[in-house]
Amino acid sequence: MSTTSEDSPAAPGSAPPQTADAEVAALNGDHPGGENGPGGGENELPALPEGRFLNREVSWLDFNARVLSLAEDRSIPLLERAKFLAIFASNLDEFYMVRVAGLKRRLSTGLTGRYADGLSIREQLDVVANRTSELVERHAHCFLGDVQPELEKEGIRIVHWDGLPTPDQERLHRYFREQVFPVLTPLAVDPAHPFPYISGLSLNLAVVVRDPDTGAERFARVKVPNNVPRFVVVSEGLFLPIEEVIAAHLVQLFPGMQVVEHHLFRVTRNADLEVEEDRDEDLLQALERELARRRFGPVVRLEAAETMSEHVLELLARELDVSDRDVLRVPGLLDLSALWALYGVDRPDLKDDPFVPATHPQFAEGETPRSVFATLRAGDVAVHHPYHSFNTSVQRFVEQAAADPNVLAIKQTLYRTSGDSPIVDALIDAAEAGKQVVVLVEIKARFDEQANISWARALERAGCHVVYGLIGLKTHCKVCLVVRQEGGSLRRYAHIGTGNYNNKTARLYEDFGLFSADPDIGRDLTDLFNVLTGYSRQTDYRTLMVSPQGVRNGILERIEREVEHVRAGRPGLVQLKANSIVDERLIDALYRASQAGVRIDLVIRGICTVRPGVEGLSENIRVRSIVGRFLEHSRILRFGNGGGGSGSDEEFWIGSADMMHRNLDRRIEAMVRVTDNVARGQLREVLDLSTADDTGGFDLHADGNWIRRLAPDGGPLKDVQVQLLRRIAERGV
């Protein structure tokens, strides 16, 4: 499971938009689409009530609290709990780097309006600060009071320098002298030495030293190097934080001075990038320039050891220009994302049982290998990661296309991929074999910009046609098109997914992908790539909904159709699974549908500003969040179409779009209708399991609180992910 972002391990939070038109409109009380939703004007429907939207920043913090609740759950294996503590810490870092930084930037521009939930920017920052303080204290307590003592019982100990026996200290003296001391640079602060630059997310020691001759005290900063392990292995199962090694040797950094006190601290900086795409002729160079500037972004958070003295903390806050609201005192170990290192300990008894992703039965080669293309000519195939193997489906699809002499062209989008990507290797092989290879590399993918720039250049060197998308829009869709010569005609094969072409995260992220040789899907992807690579302005497609024009409108039309079914005496059903739902027009449409009697089930992992279960507004809306071993990442739409969830006419869609302004207005997203009966059955099963009364998760209540679901006896309910692991292991689908 991961963070962020919506596509990064970071991911569940969301980045400030490249252009903030929709959010600025919301600030000024202009919720996109008005208050009436589809199907009527202001004179036909009464206004929806104020206060119907929950706060998006608090909703994200509530998501991270759900991650933290897994760390607190003693039924989960111990090292998995430590992993969730690390994920919580990484998530919160990204939240400050992106969301809090965005709020501060807007505040500095003088925006004074209110967001859809009624709070001003300043009020949101206050709410965030208070909620974060509570969560950080709970996070530290979980580690210090529960997880760390349990780890010690299992022989995994984080020790202190003073508690080490002399032989270990002597060995670490040598380690410090040979491996650490040469890379340390103590920086003094005095009239001749200005306060040093503190890089974002780095660990630092604030040191106060005294001149023994004059008694004058001076401040210095020592950066903990980020190119040495955070934990030094003292012996098997014993780990010493590197900052303690440095602190024990400060006298060697300041010979002749007396070390009065030292404390660990850490800063978080604004990581937003501002690239003027319509002005910069070379987007690649412009982005590289902004990446160099990112490290100098303003400080948005200061974390300090709980033991830090007031005068040192005041000095840091003053020099870093940080308000009291953005100072967090942290008990115990700073930066618990370092617990990933402990998770790497070879203790399978303290982790989830390992699993091997299954090869989808239709891709199983058996004794006689069968090409992916022959399989797809027989019908569509839907794969469900991580339960189904990425390597034997998506990766094999691209690799076979690269090696097949009858394949003439491969066109693909890349948003995030792994460091040693077999997908990229296959595309390079295809280009070197003389195939036409077109790759859209989204170099503005947050926190993957530098990696994507490197991939783009490697692909270009191999002869691929590399494009960077459309000005002002991120390309977030996950699509691949293969054009193959078959007899006297050309045939197109397609893959459309909800997740990235990343073989590593495909083992951690829950995603769907549809493979198809449907001619209409092939024609649609051809048209879509012409939009991405040329000057086409096509907005209408046969089998796809494509943003920024088509996804929101397509969903609104289908929600209104469910309302019409209810008015005609038929059942209405809308089910939506996504990472986040924030878009006011969609939410208002769901409220109107609920008022009309449509049953609405939302399965939202992260941010949800819908307020369910409100009398007269949303009694028919249920919201559930599933947070577990895998990062729930797929986006699925289901519309009953008059059958209430049991008819053959119901519609299923999958794709890359979350229900947020940025996805619907400022990104190229693609959602495809799934018509294959087996694939529809897979999607139906996932939604039915996710919304069933006897499965676990967290339910959102009308007051905005998320409550963990428990069985009547107080015990756990069925785990959706465990059930899917078992079913796919038994059936293959």
Side-chain angles (χ1 to χ4, degrees), residues 361-471:
Q362 289 172 267
F363 287 143
E365 295 188 334
E367 294 183 5
T368 304
R370 188 185 189 200
S371 79
V372 172
F373 307 115
T375 298
L376 297 184
R377 285 195 292 274
D380 294 354
V381 178
V383 291
H384 191 191
H385 308 301
Y387 311 103
H388 289 134
S389 168
F390 180 90
N391 295 354
T392 60
S393 57
V394 180
Q395 183 176 320
R396 182 181 294 170
F397 176 66
V398 180
E399 288 176 341
Q400 285 193 6
D404 190 333
N406 293 319
V407 168
L408 305 181
I410 304 173
K411 302 181 181 184
Q412 186 162 3
T413 60
L414 290 179
Y415 191 74
R416 302 185 197 275
T417 190
S418 56
D420 52 347
S421 172
I423 296 289
V424 173
D425 291 343
L427 294 172
I428 289 173
D429 290 343
E432 291 176 343
K435 294 174 170 54
Q436 183 188 91
V437 179
V438 178
V439 188
L440 190 141
V441 180
E442 180 47 78
I443 59 173
K444 300 187 296 294
R446 188 173 299 279
F447 301 122
D448 274 335
E449 299 96 343
Q450 192 61 60
N452 284 5
I453 288 172
S454 298
W455 284 128
R457 288 184 166 145
L459 289 162
E460 284 176 335
R461 286 193 298 269
C464 300
H465 302 291
V466 179
V467 293
Y468 309 123
L470 304 178
I471 290 177

Side-chain angles (χ1 to χ4, degrees), residues 9 52 71 126 191 246 263 290 384 407 429 444 469 498 503 644 659 729:
R52 65 190 182 277
D126 288 338
I246 297 171
H263 310 279
E290 288 302 312
H384 191 191
V407 168
D429 290 343
K444 300 187 296 294
T498 68
N503 61 309
M659 305 300 114

